[in-house]
Amino acid sequence: MSDLLQVKNLYTSFNTEDGVVPAVNGISFNLKHGESLGIVGESGCGKSVACLSIMRLIGHPGKVEADEIKLDGTELQALSEKKMRSMRGNDMAFIFQEPMTSLNPVYTIGFQLQEAIQLHQGLNKEQSQHKSIEMLEMVGIPRAEKVFSEYPHSLSGGMRQRAMIAMALSCEPKILFADEPTTALDVTIQAQILELMTDLRQRINTSIIFISHDLGVISEMVDRVIVMYCGIIIEDTDVRTLIKNPRHPYTIGLINSKPRIDVELERLEPISGSVPNPLNMPSGCPYHPRCESAMEICREKLPENHEIKDGHRVCCWLFSELGGKIKS
Ligand code: SF4
């Protein structure tokens, strides 16, 4: 599979009254055609900001810089705002956690779907209505023709999220960003929506980036996972390796702090300490104040990203020659 998305050294920061808040600190990753990638980390680690930066949805006072943000060979940073607007929807789509933040309460579901389809696909009114109803049916909304004329408030949370998915996928984007798409839903509805997205990904062959704070939720659905901490990628590997053989101390902490059905644990082990204030980031590795394996060098220098085995990358001094020497 060839690369669909290539991101190299992406930085995003926000100018605030208290100073510059770095949200994303030089992340690089690729996504292949048809691949599903999970981005996991605690709130504020930069996962959503990174994806919004790729879609150029960070407004003032945010600042985005990158060596490369390429979608299917096109450098997105070189595109005009008009061209970028047409790519959002046609080539890239975003599903937010709470559908009511994206659906307009004063327009019917059908009007909003039709508007997106007409704008991006150039279909006439009748064709776009037909396609809208087809999309509502495809995402499993019963009585799709009736729902077409209803307003968002008359639908349940799960149905609204399905309508959002229909809207995001209506133009068959090459890449779909799903930001905690099921967090606001009941557990049973969550499972249905996740299953629906997996099924649609296979049918439409869209690449998906799932953003979540919960590794358990997305581990069933993605091929690969990136773990973020304080704006950097600390581990990147296939989902199986990450669950069975995590190497970064933070990832190990994340996995040990979750109940598991296959392992009997007397008690869960929470990660000690808390995420640092982004206005006052620790020197060196940002995880060092919480890390039981921290060494001298961890307090001084940010570790480099090392490939430890077949595409398994870890950003930790424990896996570098330099860190090893200092440790011994
Ligand atoms: Fe811990 Fe050092 Fe690795 Fe950071 S670089 S995770 S502080 S061992």
Side-chain angles (χ1 to χ4, degrees):
M1 280 190 290
S2 56
D3 283 335
L4 170 68
L5 178 70
Q6 293 160 293
V7 177
K8 207 164 157 194
N9 284 329
L10 171 67
Y11 289 84
T12 307
S13 57
F14 295 90
N15 252 321
T16 69
E17 279 180 9
D18 298 322
V20 177
V21 175
V24 178
N25 279 318
I27 65 166
S28 302
F29 66 93
N30 293 356
L31 175 76
K32 297 195 182 308
H33 281 273
E35 190 180 27
S36 61
L37 173 74
I39 304 186
V40 180
E42 289 166 276
S43 298
C45 71
K47 53 194 190 303
S48 303
V49 173
C51 295
L52 292 168
S53 304
I54 293 167
M55 286 191 77
R56 209 189 288 173
L57 287 173
I58 297 287
H60 181 78
K63 186 175 166 201
V64 179
E65 287 173 308
D67 287 349
E68 194 174 282
I69 307 178
K70 277 189 178 165
L71 184 73
D72 225 0
T74 303
E75 175 51 72
L76 300 183
Q77 296 175 101
L79 299 180
S80 65
E81 194 43 55
K82 190 174 169 211
K83 181 75 186 132
M84 199 59 198
R85 212 174 306 131
S86 110
M87 287 196 87
R88 286 191 295 260
N90 270 336
D91 299 284
M92 306 183 277
F94 208 106
I95 299 175
F96 293 91
Q97 184 181 125
E98 172 44 69
M100 280 310 269
T101 55
S102 322
L103 290 170
N104 191 327
V106 300
Y107 293 112
T108 63
I109 296 287
F111 178 86
Q112 296 181 62
L113 249 171
Q114 245 183 316
E115 191 188 31
I117 292 170
Q118 278 175 357
L119 182 70
H120 293 289
Q121 294 198 339
L123 300 182
N124 65 29
K125 204 173 167 205
E126 202 182 319
Q127 291 166 325
S128 59
Q129 177 168 353
H130 182 75
K131 171 105 190 196
S132 303
I133 294 172
E134 212 177 78
M135 288 306 296
L136 292 174
E137 281 168 351
M138 190 173 89
V139 297
I141 292 186
R143 307 174 293 111
E145 278 189 45
K146 188 164 180 290
V147 168
F148 179 86
S149 318
E150 288 177 355
Y151 288 87
H153 71 84
S154 60
L155 302 183
S156 66
M159 285 298 145
R160 281 200 289 258
Q161 197 54 298
R162 282 175 192 261
M164 265 308 301
I165 295 171
M167 206 177 291
L169 294 179
S170 59
C171 300
E172 302 187 5
K174 292 174 182 161
I175 181 167
L176 175 69
F177 296 91
D179 191 356
E180 309 262 10
T182 60
T183 306
L185 305 173
D186 293 345
V187 180
T188 46
I189 310 292
Q190 267 189 21
Q192 288 173 14
I193 296 286
L194 294 177
E195 206 179 295
L196 168 73
M197 293 185 71
T198 310
D199 176 50
L200 293 176
R201 175 171 83 90
Q202 281 155 3
R203 273 204 262 168
I204 298 179
N205 197 30
T206 294
S207 300
I208 300 189
I209 295 188
F210 282 101
I211 304 163
S212 181
H213 65 278
D214 190 339
L215 185 55
V217 167
I218 57 168
S219 59
E220 299 279 313
M221 319 184 48
V222 295
D223 305 316
R224 216 174 95 224
V225 182
I226 280 173
V227 183
M228 284 187 72
Y229 186 77
C230 290
I232 60 172
I233 293 176
I234 51 115
E235 190 153 5
D236 176 354
T237 186
D238 65 274
V239 66
R240 225 184 129 77
T241 306
L242 193 90
I243 303 288
K244 296 267 175 221
N245 194 18
R247 304 308 296 274
H248 192 283
Y250 175 67
T251 318
I252 295 171
L254 265 189
I255 290 173
N256 288 345
S257 62
K258 286 269 167 205
R260 283 176 60 177
I261 203 157
D262 57 331
V263 180
E264 204 174 307
L265 290 172
E266 279 190 15
R267 63 187 203 97
L268 296 173
E269 289 176 39
I271 302 175
S272 63
S274 52
V275 180
N277 178 346
L279 280 165
N280 191 16
M281 289 292 275
S283 58
C285 169
Y287 190 58
H288 87 248
R290 306 172 78 182
C291 181
E292 287 177 4
S293 311
M295 304 168 279
E296 196 60 41
I297 192 171
C298 306
R299 294 175 191 94
E300 290 161 10
K301 276 183 86 174
L302 183 68
E304 282 154 21
N305 213 313
H306 301 278
E307 180 165 16
I308 56 170
K309 199 180 175 191
D310 308 334
H312 186 172
R313 303 190 71 87
V314 184
C315 181
C316 172
W317 284 120
L318 289 173
F319 303 96
S320 82
E321 253 180 51
L322 184 55
K325 269 185 206 149
I326 287 178
K327 196 186 178 193
S328 62

